[in-house]
Structures are given as C-alpha cells and as structure tokens.
Amino acid sequence: MSPQEESWDTVGIFVFPGFEPLDAYGPMELFGSMIREGLRKVKRIVFVAETAGPVPSCFGPSTVAEYGLDDCPPLDVLVISGGIGTRILMHNTRVVDWLRSQILDHDVRHVLSVCTGAALLAATGLLDGKPATTNKELFTYIRQLFPAVQWQGTARWISQGKVVTASGVTAGMDAALSIIEGTFGAEVAERVARDVEYIGDWRQASNDPFAHHSSSDDGEGAG
Amino acid sequence: MSPQEESWDTVGIFVFPGFEPLDAYGPMELFGSMIREGLRKVKRIVFVAETAGPVPSCFGPSTVAEYGLDDCPPLDVLVISGGIGTRILMHNTRVVDWLRSQILDHDVRHVLSVCTGAALLAATGLLDGKPATTNKELFTYIRQLFPAVQWQGTARWISQGKVVTASGVTAGMDAALSIIEGTFGAEVAERVARDVEYIGDWRQASNDPFAHHSSSDDGEGAG
C-alpha cells in the first residue's frame, strides 16, 4: 500500500490512574489531527484503561476511557502514557499481559511508549536485550528496575521494530510525528505540524538536549 | 511578593464540547508541572465547563470538568481552549459573560486563550481596539468575525495586560511558559521545561513560523 492510500482505523491511548496528561494528549493531538477532512488518515481515537470509565491523571482531572481491556477494539496504533501511576501498574500482570499481546499482535502496527510508559513495556520482557529510552530525570531508577534492557541515555526516542520508546513527556510528540512521517511521508507530517503550529524536531531521534549523564536521579521528575 | 514566594492556588482550564485537546492539555501540563514537590508553585489544576461533567473533545474522547460556571472556585489563572466548538459557543451569552467577568476580576492574574479560544475572548468585547492573535489557518475567518480587534498575523502569542492570546494549538505551550517565566523567573521556567523535556521557544513571542500571509482560509485547520 502506498503512503497515499494507507490509513489507520483506530489509534488507542492507554491511560491509568496517575497518568501524565501530556504523555497521552501530545500524541493524541497529532494522530487526531489526521482525522480532519483534509487528511482522513485516521478514523478514530479512543482512550483505553484497565477498566472503562473516568481515569484520574497525576494532576487530578480525569479523562474518560471509553474502553477497558476486555472490550478494547483492534488497534492500529497504541500509545502508552507514563506517569507516577506506572510505579504500581508495572506489577499488574493483567495489564502487562495485555500490553505484551498488543506488541505481539500482527495487526498492531506501532506501539509508542512515552516517558515512564517505557517501564510498562519493559515489564513485558519484550524489550530485554533491545535498545530503548525513557524519561531522563528518572533514567537511573528505570534502568535499575529493568537491567536487561539496553537503555540509551542520549535519545529523544528509539525505534525498535514496531515499538518506539520516547523520552520524557513532550518527546512523545516528536516520536509520534516520526511515526506519521515514516508511514505517510514527509508531506503529511508537515501538514500535521502546520495544523497544530508545532515547532519540533521529528527527524532527528538522537537530538536530545535532556540526555542523561548523571548516575543518580532525584525521583521528582515527570512520570 | 518576590518570584520565590509567589504561588497560585488554582489554575482553571475552560473546555466545552468540541474543544481541541492540546489547546487545553499543553498549558495544563506546564502549569501542572509546578504542582510537583520540587516547585510547589501551583496548588491545583481544575477543568471548568459550562456544566460540570464529561466534556467531549473534537476527536471524541471526553475530559471530566469538575466544575461548572456556577460553582467554579476563584481562579488565579484561566486557560481558554479553542476548537471547533467555539463556532457555537461564541454566541452563548452565559459563557461569554462569565469569561468577561474573569478578565475583569482583579483576583484573576492571567487569562490565556489558545487557538480559536481567542474568538471566545473577542466575543466579550474586551479585546476591541487591542492587539491579539489566534490560529493562523483560521485567521481570516476570526478577523472577519471580530473586526474591532487588532489581529496580528505574525505572533506566536501576544500579551496585553492580564490577557495573553496564543496562536494555534502548540503555541499555547510557549505562551504558558512565558507566563511562568514572567511570574516566577527564568529558573522556574527552565525547570518546568526540563521536567517535561520541552524543546520550545517561550522567550520570543514574535518568532512565528506559521505567520498568516494569505487572504483566505480553507476553514479546515485545527480549531
């Protein structure tokens, strides 16, 4: 299928109590922009949680997840937000098993973790031995939890097959645009960026002004 | 009060059916970052709508507004999102009267419109004769609706007293950081940007790669 013909039926944004809002809504806006009539590259965006219903973010306000894991429709793209809630969720075998099944599902084309969403992916074991990145202020914390992953300290995002791991919060927007450009071409990515007047850098995954160099974290950064 | 001592009790994000998600969540994340323990410059973030409850965004998924206009607590900062829903809402006198009262309220320190949220502000009449900006792809549409405002075609955002009008969608993030820097100083703004790994330009309001030059809009841009 040519980039002109390709489209995605459903983009799913996975959230949980204590999710970091922009981890979810940055990529959501960029993928959502492709719903507009000028592009029509995406049919719908849905929020998914362990259980459908209102899901409180780390700052309090809730987003309504239309779907739970049991009734989640087939996804073309899955975005996994991070946030303080990952500390608990990475031990939830039901959620981790579901995430693993999404990565292994041949119909799922792209899985994008943002910030500490990478910890949820790492908990599946499917990142073991592979390069990945995450929030730079919590880098050492995450690396110690999942030492079998080849964590990269200088990376805005890392593509590894269908899995893309983005660094902290707003890195998810650049990573989302890189997925859009890789799938639909530079013109569509430019149009999306212009649509939301986004000044970012989605062509250089290694352009990381927040590269992790210190050997310890203060544990206070965005989740 | 010195920048070190200043803090905000409540930041309110105003949304409505058909709001553009990142118009709300971009500034929400940046102001929200100041809740974290390292800064403690903001006590809470709330979503406000005409009526409390779930509010569907332009892409479908809903955010829960904890407050309606009737029970909205006093706000230190008010963010007004844009989106396709502004087309209807700008004729809603109850909402427009409430927005006017927020601008005139001496306790409200900053009012930030993002994207076509500027149309809601313009409907109050309080922008008449003053410089303002809005979404560049819908610039002519908005300018024709509110000809008494001095709309600026080249501006990432414009500060006019307590009112800041931002251009399209992601311009709201730079405008929010400029408000943070103006209130709390450069160090706090840098810390917030680092916390969410944001690569933006919140020091040059006139740095506008999406400046409006054409005389007609296609009406399809982000709302």
Side-chain angles (χ1 to χ4, degrees):
Chain A
M1 200 181 294
S2 76
Q4 284 72 34
E5 292 164 343
E6 184 142 1
S7 68
W8 294 327
D9 277 343
T10 308
V11 173
I13 315 286
F14 179 69
V15 291
F16 45 83
F19 78 96
E20 188 80 23
L22 199 61
D23 287 6
Y25 278 98
M28 188 268 205
E29 175 75 31
L30 299 168
F31 291 132
S33 171
M34 300 203 299
I35 296 176
R36 285 192 243 277
E37 287 187 8
L39 284 171
R40 291 188 187 277
K41 294 290 190 188
V42 170
K43 287 197 183 151
R44 63 170 176 168
I45 305 267
V46 299
F47 273 75
V48 184
E50 187 176 6
T51 307
V55 180
S57 70
C58 69
F59 301 135
S62 291
T63 289
V64 180
E66 301 100 306
Y67 295 102
L69 302 187
D70 286 337
D71 61 353
C72 180
L75 302 178
D76 297 280
V77 178
L78 170 63
V79 176
I80 303 165
S81 59
I84 189 77
T86 55
R87 275 50 154 194
I88 295 171
L89 209 64
M90 67 177 83
H91 303 293
N92 180 324
T93 53
R94 182 164 177 256
V95 165
V96 171
D97 287 350
W98 182 80
L99 293 172
R100 188 186 295 111
S101 73
Q102 293 291 315
I103 297 174
L104 296 175
D105 184 337
H106 289 294
D107 293 329
V108 176
R109 305 189 207 185
H110 304 281
V111 176
L112 167 61
S113 71
V114 184
C115 208
T116 54
L120 300 178
L121 279 187
T124 67
L126 295 175
L127 293 185
D128 287 0
K130 294 178 180 168
T133 197
T134 186
N135 180 312
K136 295 304 156 44
E137 293 208 21
L138 294 165
F139 195 80
T140 300
Y141 169 72
I142 300 285
R143 184 171 55 191
Q144 286 169 345
L145 283 173
F146 302 101
V149 179
Q150 293 175 12
W151 296 105
Q152 305 295 305
T154 303
R156 186 82 173 147
W157 71 90
I158 287 177
S159 297
Q160 178 65 33
K162 70 163 64 173
V163 176
V164 179
T165 50
S167 189
V169 190
T170 59
M173 297 174 67
D174 292 318
L177 274 167
S178 81
I179 293 172
I180 290 170
E181 178 159 315
T183 305
F184 302 103
E187 196 178 322
V188 169
E190 288 282 355
R191 181 155 179 172
V192 168
R194 192 172 67 243
D195 184 51
V196 300
E197 299 191 20
Y198 183 59
I199 305 170
D201 186 354
W202 60 91
R203 296 198 179 90
Q204 297 184 69
S206 61
N207 180 15
D208 183 4
F210 307 98
H212 178 76
H213 296 300
S214 77
S215 59
S216 64
D217 306 322
D218 65 5
E220 276 192 356
Chain B
M1 201 180 293
S2 76
Q4 283 70 33
E5 293 164 343
E6 184 141 2
S7 69
W8 294 327
D9 276 343
T10 308
V11 173
I13 315 286
F14 179 69
V15 292
F16 44 83
F19 77 96
E20 188 80 24
L22 199 60
D23 287 7
Y25 278 98
M28 189 268 205
E29 175 75 31
L30 298 167
F31 292 132
S33 171
M34 300 203 300
I35 296 175
R36 284 192 243 277
E37 287 187 9
L39 284 172
R40 291 188 188 276
K41 294 290 190 189
V42 170
K43 286 198 183 150
R44 63 170 177 167
I45 305 267
V46 299
F47 273 75
V48 184
E50 188 177 5
T51 307
V55 180
S57 70
C58 68
F59 300 135
S62 292
T63 290
V64 180
E66 301 101 307
Y67 295 101
L69 302 187
D70 286 337
D71 62 353
C72 180
L75 302 177
D76 297 280
V77 179
L78 170 63
V79 176
I80 302 165
S81 60
I84 189 77
T86 55
R87 275 58 154 186
I88 295 171
L89 208 63
M90 67 178 83
H91 304 293
N92 180 323
T93 53
R94 183 165 175 255
V95 165
V96 171
D97 287 351
W98 182 80
L99 293 172
R100 187 186 297 110
S101 73
Q102 294 290 316
I103 298 174
L104 297 175
D105 184 337
H106 290 293
D107 293 329
V108 176
R109 304 189 207 185
H110 304 280
V111 177
L112 167 61
S113 72
V114 184
C115 207
T116 54
L120 300 178
L121 279 187
T124 68
L126 295 175
L127 295 184
D128 287 0
K130 294 177 180 168
T133 197
T134 186
N135 180 311
K136 297 302 156 49
E137 293 208 23
L138 295 165
F139 196 81
T140 300
Y141 169 72
I142 301 285
R143 184 170 55 190
Q144 286 170 344
L145 284 173
F146 302 101
V149 178
Q150 293 175 12
W151 296 105
Q152 306 294 306
T154 303
R156 186 84 172 149
W157 72 89
I158 287 178
S159 296
Q160 178 66 34
K162 73 162 64 172
V163 175
V164 179
T165 51
S167 189
V169 190
T170 58
M173 297 173 66
D174 291 317
L177 273 167
S178 80
I179 292 171
I180 290 170
E181 178 160 314
T183 305
F184 301 103
E187 196 179 322
V188 169
E190 287 283 356
R191 181 154 180 173
V192 168
R194 192 172 67 241
D195 184 51
V196 300
E197 299 192 19
Y198 183 60
I199 306 170
D201 186 355
W202 60 91
R203 297 199 177 88
Q204 298 184 68
S206 61
N207 179 14
D208 182 6
F210 307 98
H212 177 77
H213 296 301
S214 78
S215 59
S216 65
D217 305 323
D218 65 5
E220 278 192 356

